Each structure stands twice: as C-alpha cells, then as structure tokens.
Amino acid sequence: MLTSFETAIQKDTSKTTVPGGGIHPLTRYVMNYLSFLADYSEVLSDIVADWPLTIPSPLPDPFFGSPDNEESISSPVSVRLAWLILLMLCKLDGKAAMYKDVSLSYLFLANNLQYVVGKVRQSNLKILLGDEWVTKQELKVKQYASNYVRMGWSKVLMALPENPTAEIPVDIVKDHFRKFNSGFEEAYTKQTSWVVPDPGLRDDIKISLARRIVPIYKELYETYGGMYLRKEMWVESLVRYTPDDLGNYWSVLLNGSTSSSHGGRSR
C-alpha cells in the first residue's frame, strides 16, 4: 500500500496551477492520507520494521531533523513518512515553477508548506516527525513568505527613498510619489485574487508588509505630502494615499476575493 502511494506521488504530472496560489490537491491528498496513517503508527511500525527504506542518499536534514525522542529518529515508520512528505514537497517545487509570476510561486510554496505543518501539528505525525522537523518547516514557510513580500512588492519598496526625512529636490520627491503610486496600484490590482488560506500566515505577511513600507512612506508623506497639499494643486493626483490608506487596502488583500473594493480613497 505504501509502495503504491509513493508511486502515485511520483507519477503526479498535473500541469494546472492553483488559482491565487492556494493549496494544491496533491498536498491535501498526501497530508490527509498520512495523518490518517499516523493513527496506526504502532501497527505500521511492526509492518515496516523489517522493510527499510532504500533511497540513494540519506534524507536531507532540512526535511527530517533530529526529533526529541532519540528512538524516533531511526524509526522506520518515521523515516518512511518523512520520505513521502519530501517526495510531495519536491513535486510542489516543480508546480511552483509553473507560475509566471515569481512572487506568486513563493506564495504558493508558503501556503502549501503551511498546510503541511498544520496537518502535522494536528495529528500523530507530530509525534513521529518531532518538534525539530516542524520548526524547520515553519522557518521555511517564513522564508517563502519573505520572498513573496520582497518580489511581489519590489517596485513599491524601490520607490521609497533611503532617507525620507532628508532634504530632497522637488522633482525627485514627485518621482518618488509617482513610482510609489504606480508600483502600489500594479501590485494591489494583480494580487486581489491571490489567497492565503491560513489566517495566521496571512496576518504575518500583512504585518511584514506594513513594517517594511509604512514607516518610510509615512515619513515621506508627513515631510513632503503635507507641504505640497498646501502649496500646489497637482498634489491631489500625486499624493494619492495616506499612510492609513495603505492599511485599509491591505486589510482585504490575500483573502482570495476578485473584488477590487477597498477601504482606501477612490480615484
């Protein structure tokens, strides 16, 4: 049965991408299957005790660390289940590459690995794989999410000045606002249909976005936006967003809605 299951994973050749970077059917199938098997770990241990897993090389450390229980690191059933998860994760890497947008591919990987971690934590898989295995996967989720923020909001981040409180020529200030508006609107419009099903991960991503963008933009806005609001008529179309507006836009982001409604200003 396990051999057939492993073969089914290896033979998965689906080429369709999940809309919005959500959870792939393969991820759900494999993790539901394994979490169910973990309920019968004692029986499985007896079955596979004399049937060691044969692979070309040891399991990569990032995928299978050293559980707290020294016995479980050499447990045949633990090694076999970790191997099956690794096979699936390798398949997911290939499916992530099918997305044309690199930032969406990272979001897809973060979503699916977060789903894996959740299934492990909620089942007897956690006992078999150990806390260290879970911790390492959680760190990878954070890295994928960080890569999504860096790639998906690169134009916005690049539009901000290194020191927004320094004296900046008027033309350069205008350029910062124009590029910020363009980058923000492009990223937001593109990502309104993207999704992060896990509420904790979704909140972490939004907090990361806010921390990287809002403080610098707020300084720029308070230092120059108000000045132009008082002095020049064109500022209404140039300074389109207040710092609070950004949070309102992000509040509905990554919910998987295709609606462009938001709590920001209407332009």
PDB file of all heavy atoms in Angstrom, residues 181-200:
ATOM      1  N   ASN A 181       2.980  55.296  -6.349  1.00  0.00           N
ATOM      2  CA  ASN A 181       1.587  55.105  -6.782  1.00  0.00           C
ATOM      3  C   ASN A 181       1.484  54.005  -7.830  1.00  0.00           C
ATOM      4  O   ASN A 181       0.630  53.115  -7.749  1.00  0.00           O
ATOM      5  CB  ASN A 181       1.029  56.406  -7.364  1.00  0.00           C
ATOM      6  CG  ASN A 181       0.926  57.507  -6.334  1.00  0.00           C
ATOM      7  OD1 ASN A 181       0.890  57.248  -5.135  1.00  0.00           O
ATOM      8  ND2 ASN A 181       0.903  58.747  -6.799  1.00  0.00           N
ATOM      9  N   SER A 182       2.367  54.078  -8.821  1.00  0.00           N
ATOM     10  CA  SER A 182       2.346  53.108  -9.908  1.00  0.00           C
ATOM     11  C   SER A 182       2.625  51.699  -9.405  1.00  0.00           C
ATOM     12  O   SER A 182       1.918  50.740  -9.745  1.00  0.00           O
ATOM     13  CB  SER A 182       3.371  53.500 -10.972  1.00  0.00           C
ATOM     14  OG  SER A 182       3.476  52.512 -11.966  1.00  0.00           O
ATOM     15  N   GLY A 183       3.652  51.573  -8.567  1.00  0.00           N
ATOM     16  CA  GLY A 183       4.023  50.264  -8.044  1.00  0.00           C
ATOM     17  C   GLY A 183       2.961  49.680  -7.133  1.00  0.00           C
ATOM     18  O   GLY A 183       2.645  48.487  -7.219  1.00  0.00           O
ATOM     19  N   PHE A 184       2.405  50.532  -6.285  1.00  0.00           N
ATOM     20  CA  PHE A 184       1.387  50.054  -5.345  1.00  0.00           C
ATOM     21  C   PHE A 184       0.133  49.596  -6.088  1.00  0.00           C
ATOM     22  O   PHE A 184      -0.420  48.526  -5.796  1.00  0.00           O
ATOM     23  CB  PHE A 184       1.038  51.158  -4.348  1.00  0.00           C
ATOM     24  CG  PHE A 184       0.088  50.717  -3.263  1.00  0.00           C
ATOM     25  CD1 PHE A 184       0.566  50.114  -2.113  1.00  0.00           C
ATOM     26  CD2 PHE A 184      -1.281  50.887  -3.409  1.00  0.00           C
ATOM     27  CE1 PHE A 184      -0.304  49.683  -1.125  1.00  0.00           C
ATOM     28  CE2 PHE A 184      -2.157  50.469  -2.428  1.00  0.00           C
ATOM     29  CZ  PHE A 184      -1.674  49.864  -1.272  1.00  0.00           C
ATOM     30  N   GLU A 185      -0.308  50.399  -7.041  1.00  0.00           N
ATOM     31  CA  GLU A 185      -1.530  50.056  -7.771  1.00  0.00           C
ATOM     32  C   GLU A 185      -1.345  48.809  -8.629  1.00  0.00           C
ATOM     33  O   GLU A 185      -2.249  47.972  -8.738  1.00  0.00           O
ATOM     34  CB  GLU A 185      -1.975  51.251  -8.621  1.00  0.00           C
ATOM     35  CG  GLU A 185      -2.533  52.375  -7.763  1.00  0.00           C
ATOM     36  CD  GLU A 185      -2.522  53.732  -8.450  1.00  0.00           C
ATOM     37  OE1 GLU A 185      -2.263  53.775  -9.671  1.00  0.00           O
ATOM     38  OE2 GLU A 185      -2.753  54.743  -7.765  1.00  0.00           O
ATOM     39  N   GLU A 186      -0.161  48.659  -9.208  1.00  0.00           N
ATOM     40  CA  GLU A 186       0.112  47.465 -10.009  1.00  0.00           C
ATOM     41  C   GLU A 186       0.107  46.208  -9.140  1.00  0.00           C
ATOM     42  O   GLU A 186      -0.516  45.194  -9.487  1.00  0.00           O
ATOM     43  CB  GLU A 186       1.462  47.612 -10.699  1.00  0.00           C
ATOM     44  CG  GLU A 186       1.850  46.389 -11.532  1.00  0.00           C
ATOM     45  CD  GLU A 186       3.240  46.509 -12.126  1.00  0.00           C
ATOM     46  OE1 GLU A 186       3.687  47.648 -12.411  1.00  0.00           O
ATOM     47  OE2 GLU A 186       3.898  45.460 -12.301  1.00  0.00           O
ATOM     48  N   ALA A 187       0.810  46.280  -8.003  1.00  0.00           N
ATOM     49  CA  ALA A 187       0.881  45.119  -7.108  1.00  0.00           C
ATOM     50  C   ALA A 187      -0.484  44.781  -6.534  1.00  0.00           C
ATOM     51  O   ALA A 187      -0.890  43.614  -6.507  1.00  0.00           O
ATOM     52  CB  ALA A 187       1.879  45.386  -5.983  1.00  0.00           C
ATOM     53  N   TYR A 188      -1.205  45.800  -6.090  1.00  0.00           N
ATOM     54  CA  TYR A 188      -2.508  45.554  -5.467  1.00  0.00           C
ATOM     55  C   TYR A 188      -3.499  44.968  -6.467  1.00  0.00           C
ATOM     56  O   TYR A 188      -4.194  43.984  -6.164  1.00  0.00           O
ATOM     57  CB  TYR A 188      -3.059  46.854  -4.875  1.00  0.00           C
ATOM     58  CG  TYR A 188      -4.394  46.664  -4.190  1.00  0.00           C
ATOM     59  CD1 TYR A 188      -4.449  46.217  -2.877  1.00  0.00           C
ATOM     60  CD2 TYR A 188      -5.581  46.900  -4.868  1.00  0.00           C
ATOM     61  CE1 TYR A 188      -5.676  46.023  -2.247  1.00  0.00           C
ATOM     62  CE2 TYR A 188      -6.806  46.705  -4.251  1.00  0.00           C
ATOM     63  CZ  TYR A 188      -6.848  46.270  -2.934  1.00  0.00           C
ATOM     64  OH  TYR A 188      -8.057  46.062  -2.337  1.00  0.00           O
ATOM     65  N   THR A 189      -3.564  45.565  -7.661  1.00  0.00           N
ATOM     66  CA  THR A 189      -4.502  45.081  -8.672  1.00  0.00           C
ATOM     67  C   THR A 189      -4.207  43.634  -9.060  1.00  0.00           C
ATOM     68  O   THR A 189      -5.117  42.805  -9.192  1.00  0.00           O
ATOM     69  CB  THR A 189      -4.433  45.968  -9.926  1.00  0.00           C
ATOM     70  OG1 THR A 189      -4.769  47.317  -9.561  1.00  0.00           O
ATOM     71  CG2 THR A 189      -5.410  45.486 -10.980  1.00  0.00           C
ATOM     72  N   LYS A 190      -2.931  43.316  -9.219  1.00  0.00           N
ATOM     73  CA  LYS A 190      -2.538  41.967  -9.619  1.00  0.00           C
ATOM     74  C   LYS A 190      -2.843  40.939  -8.530  1.00  0.00           C
ATOM     75  O   LYS A 190      -3.189  39.789  -8.832  1.00  0.00           O
ATOM     76  CB  LYS A 190      -1.035  41.959  -9.942  1.00  0.00           C
ATOM     77  CG  LYS A 190      -0.497  40.615 -10.377  1.00  0.00           C
ATOM     78  CD  LYS A 190       0.916  40.729 -10.911  1.00  0.00           C
ATOM     79  CE  LYS A 190       1.887  41.274  -9.882  1.00  0.00           C
ATOM     80  NZ  LYS A 190       3.289  41.275 -10.381  1.00  0.00           N
ATOM     81  N   GLN A 191      -2.750  41.363  -7.277  1.00  0.00           N
ATOM     82  CA  GLN A 191      -2.830  40.407  -6.182  1.00  0.00           C
ATOM     83  C   GLN A 191      -4.204  40.313  -5.514  1.00  0.00           C
ATOM     84  O   GLN A 191      -4.351  39.581  -4.531  1.00  0.00           O
ATOM     85  CB  GLN A 191      -1.779  40.753  -5.123  1.00  0.00           C
ATOM     86  CG  GLN A 191      -0.357  40.659  -5.653  1.00  0.00           C
ATOM     87  CD  GLN A 191       0.683  40.961  -4.601  1.00  0.00           C
ATOM     88  OE1 GLN A 191       0.484  40.742  -3.420  1.00  0.00           O
ATOM     89  NE2 GLN A 191       1.833  41.475  -5.034  1.00  0.00           N
ATOM     90  N   THR A 192      -5.204  41.001  -6.044  1.00  0.00           N
ATOM     91  CA  THR A 192      -6.525  40.949  -5.407  1.00  0.00           C
ATOM     92  C   THR A 192      -7.139  39.557  -5.453  1.00  0.00           C
ATOM     93  O   THR A 192      -7.992  39.228  -4.623  1.00  0.00           O
ATOM     94  CB  THR A 192      -7.504  41.941  -6.072  1.00  0.00           C
ATOM     95  OG1 THR A 192      -7.479  41.755  -7.491  1.00  0.00           O
ATOM     96  CG2 THR A 192      -7.136  43.380  -5.736  1.00  0.00           C
ATOM     97  N   SER A 193      -6.723  38.723  -6.395  1.00  0.00           N
ATOM     98  CA  SER A 193      -7.274  37.368  -6.483  1.00  0.00           C
ATOM     99  C   SER A 193      -6.363  36.323  -5.830  1.00  0.00           C
ATOM    100  O   SER A 193      -6.684  35.141  -5.823  1.00  0.00           O
ATOM    101  CB  SER A 193      -7.511  36.984  -7.949  1.00  0.00           C
ATOM    102  OG  SER A 193      -6.288  36.974  -8.664  1.00  0.00           O
ATOM    103  N   TRP A 194      -5.238  36.756  -5.277  1.00  0.00           N
ATOM    104  CA  TRP A 194      -4.327  35.826  -4.602  1.00  0.00           C
ATOM    105  C   TRP A 194      -4.861  35.512  -3.214  1.00  0.00           C
ATOM    106  O   TRP A 194      -5.605  36.306  -2.621  1.00  0.00           O
ATOM    107  CB  TRP A 194      -2.926  36.418  -4.522  1.00  0.00           C
ATOM    108  CG  TRP A 194      -2.292  36.616  -5.860  1.00  0.00           C
ATOM    109  CD1 TRP A 194      -2.880  36.461  -7.091  1.00  0.00           C
ATOM    110  CD2 TRP A 194      -0.943  37.024  -6.115  1.00  0.00           C
ATOM    111  NE1 TRP A 194      -1.982  36.744  -8.089  1.00  0.00           N
ATOM    112  CE2 TRP A 194      -0.784  37.089  -7.528  1.00  0.00           C
ATOM    113  CE3 TRP A 194       0.139  37.339  -5.308  1.00  0.00           C
ATOM    114  CZ2 TRP A 194       0.413  37.461  -8.122  1.00  0.00           C
ATOM    115  CZ3 TRP A 194       1.344  37.701  -5.891  1.00  0.00           C
ATOM    116  CH2 TRP A 194       1.472  37.754  -7.291  1.00  0.00           C
ATOM    117  N   VAL A 195      -4.471  34.367  -2.688  1.00  0.00           N
ATOM    118  CA  VAL A 195      -5.081  33.918  -1.443  1.00  0.00           C
ATOM    119  C   VAL A 195      -4.051  33.303  -0.505  1.00  0.00           C
ATOM    120  O   VAL A 195      -3.094  32.662  -0.936  1.00  0.00           O
ATOM    121  CB  VAL A 195      -6.200  32.887  -1.738  1.00  0.00           C
ATOM    122  CG1 VAL A 195      -5.635  31.658  -2.435  1.00  0.00           C
ATOM    123  CG2 VAL A 195      -6.924  32.471  -0.466  1.00  0.00           C
ATOM    124  N   VAL A 196      -4.252  33.541   0.796  1.00  0.00           N
ATOM    125  CA  VAL A 196      -3.519  32.846   1.855  1.00  0.00           C
ATOM    126  C   VAL A 196      -4.578  32.276   2.797  1.00  0.00           C
ATOM    127  O   VAL A 196      -5.141  33.008   3.615  1.00  0.00           O
ATOM    128  CB  VAL A 196      -2.565  33.801   2.618  1.00  0.00           C
ATOM    129  CG1 VAL A 196      -1.886  33.055   3.771  1.00  0.00           C
ATOM    130  CG2 VAL A 196      -1.514  34.367   1.672  1.00  0.00           C
ATOM    131  N   PRO A 197      -4.882  30.982   2.671  1.00  0.00           N
ATOM    132  CA  PRO A 197      -5.979  30.404   3.460  1.00  0.00           C
ATOM    133  C   PRO A 197      -5.757  30.429   4.970  1.00  0.00           C
ATOM    134  O   PRO A 197      -6.709  30.586   5.729  1.00  0.00           O
ATOM    135  CB  PRO A 197      -6.043  28.953   2.954  1.00  0.00           C
ATOM    136  CG  PRO A 197      -5.379  28.979   1.620  1.00  0.00           C
ATOM    137  CD  PRO A 197      -4.314  30.021   1.721  1.00  0.00           C
ATOM    138  N   ASP A 198      -4.501  30.271   5.395  1.00  0.00           N
ATOM    139  CA  ASP A 198      -4.215  30.237   6.821  1.00  0.00           C
ATOM    140  C   ASP A 198      -4.236  31.651   7.397  1.00  0.00           C
ATOM    141  O   ASP A 198      -3.431  32.497   6.998  1.00  0.00           O
ATOM    142  CB  ASP A 198      -2.849  29.608   7.073  1.00  0.00           C
ATOM    143  CG  ASP A 198      -2.548  29.430   8.549  1.00  0.00           C
ATOM    144  OD1 ASP A 198      -2.905  28.385   9.101  1.00  0.00           O
ATOM    145  OD2 ASP A 198      -1.965  30.368   9.141  1.00  0.00           O
ATOM    146  N   PRO A 199      -5.150  31.956   8.337  1.00  0.00           N
ATOM    147  CA  PRO A 199      -5.264  33.331   8.847  1.00  0.00           C
ATOM    148  C   PRO A 199      -4.015  33.820   9.564  1.00  0.00           C
ATOM    149  O   PRO A 199      -3.670  35.004   9.482  1.00  0.00           O
ATOM    150  CB  PRO A 199      -6.474  33.261   9.795  1.00  0.00           C
ATOM    151  CG  PRO A 199      -6.616  31.814  10.143  1.00  0.00           C
ATOM    152  CD  PRO A 199      -6.148  31.058   8.941  1.00  0.00           C
ATOM    153  N   GLY A 200      -3.321  32.913  10.248  1.00  0.00           N
ATOM    154  CA  GLY A 200      -2.101  33.316  10.937  1.00  0.00           C
ATOM    155  C   GLY A 200      -1.015  33.728   9.974  1.00  0.00           C
ATOM    156  O   GLY A 200      -0.356  34.766  10.159  1.00  0.00           O
TER     157      GLY A 200
END
